[in-house]
Amino acid sequence: MVRDLYELLKWGPTSANSSPARFIWLRTTEGKAKLAGLATEKNRPKILEAPLTVIIGNDLDFADALPKLMPQNAEATQKAFAQPGMSEVTAMRNGSLQGAYLIIAARALGLDCGPMSGFDNAGVDRAFFAGTRTQSNFICSIGYGTPDSVFPRNPRLSFEDAGHFA
Ligand SMILES: Cc1cc2nc3c(=O)[nH]c(=O)nc-3n(C[C@H](O)[C@H](O)[C@H](O)COP(=O)(O)O)c2cc1C
């Protein structure tokens, strides 16, 4: 099912097909305990009690994969991403989109999601992404919630509150 989830989320678009998100699918007790130790107290049980918690990271070296991801224009695109600040902003924008695709894909498959940003990013990077240029963005617990374990849904902004025609 986790592979099915990836097969769905991978089709969400990213700029120049850059696909900078990297996913660590934590399903072992040890892995979840290691992550929970780096999370805020309130978030710990949400990690430990879920069957799966995903760490979504942004790979700042994402352009290395462009020969595979954009074979028709890899070299020119790599040059553009080598401009100062470009890889950071591109990785954050598109990695966050891919994290959102993960949530939407999981919900489409009938799963519940608990996205969380309450954790020590630098600690998670040291513990899970050592030796890489991948930086943690957010984490997301996934499973089948119960009325006790998922938040009641709060209202959202109306169409008019959130925007306008122009
Ligand atoms: C990037 C992100 C970070 C979040 N961080 C936390 C968190 O640290 N702890 C938590 O309990 N919920 C966290 N949430 C959950 C949101 O509060 C929740 O998704 C939001 O209120 C919408 O509710 P819904 O999940 O019912 O749609 C986070 C959500 C997102 C998208």
Side-chain angles (χ1 to χ4, degrees), residues 23-75:
F23 304 91
I24 299 184
W25 311 91
L26 289 175
R27 58 181 179 176
T28 63
T29 309
E30 304 79 60
K32 285 186 281 175
K34 191 163 147 186
L35 178 63
L38 294 159
T40 61
E41 207 173 320
K42 278 196 170 167
N43 283 340
R44 278 179 203 153
K46 299 173 191 174
I47 297 165
L48 296 171
E49 288 164 23
L52 182 80
T53 299
V54 191
I55 305 173
I56 299 106
N58 298 325
D59 184 1
L60 296 178
D61 285 332
F62 66 85
D64 292 351
L66 284 171
K68 174 179 181 163
L69 297 171
M70 175 155 287
Q72 68 279 28
N73 200 20
E75 218 173 295

Side-chain angles (χ1 to χ4, degrees), residues 53-158:
T53 299
V54 191
I55 305 173
I56 299 106
N58 298 325
D59 184 1
L60 296 178
D61 285 332
F62 66 85
D64 292 351
L66 284 171
K68 174 179 181 163
L69 297 171
M70 175 155 287
Q72 68 279 28
N73 200 20
E75 218 173 295
T77 312
Q78 282 176 325
K79 265 194 196 139
F81 285 134
Q83 300 295 312
M86 273 297 281
S87 66
E88 287 80 2
V89 75
T90 304
M92 181 49 88
R93 177 179 298 127
N94 292 283
S96 296
L97 278 171
Q98 289 186 281
Y101 302 146
L102 164 80
I103 295 170
I104 298 299
R107 288 180 169 174
L109 290 173
L111 292 157
D112 288 301
C113 284
M116 290 170 266
S117 51
F119 63 93
D120 168 7
N121 286 80
V124 167
D125 295 351
R126 279 192 298 275
F128 293 96
F129 293 122
T132 74
R133 290 185 73 223
T134 300
Q135 298 175 340
S136 55
N137 186 355
F138 70 97
I139 60 177
C140 187
S141 288
I142 298 181
Y144 295 103
T146 63
D148 297 342
S149 67
V150 294
F151 289 133
R153 180 141 280 178
N154 280 323
R156 303 298 210 247
L157 295 179
S158 69

Side-chain angles (χ1 to χ4, degrees), residues 156-164:
R156 303 298 210 247
L157 295 179
S158 69
F159 182 87
E160 285 72 22
D161 286 340
H164 59 272

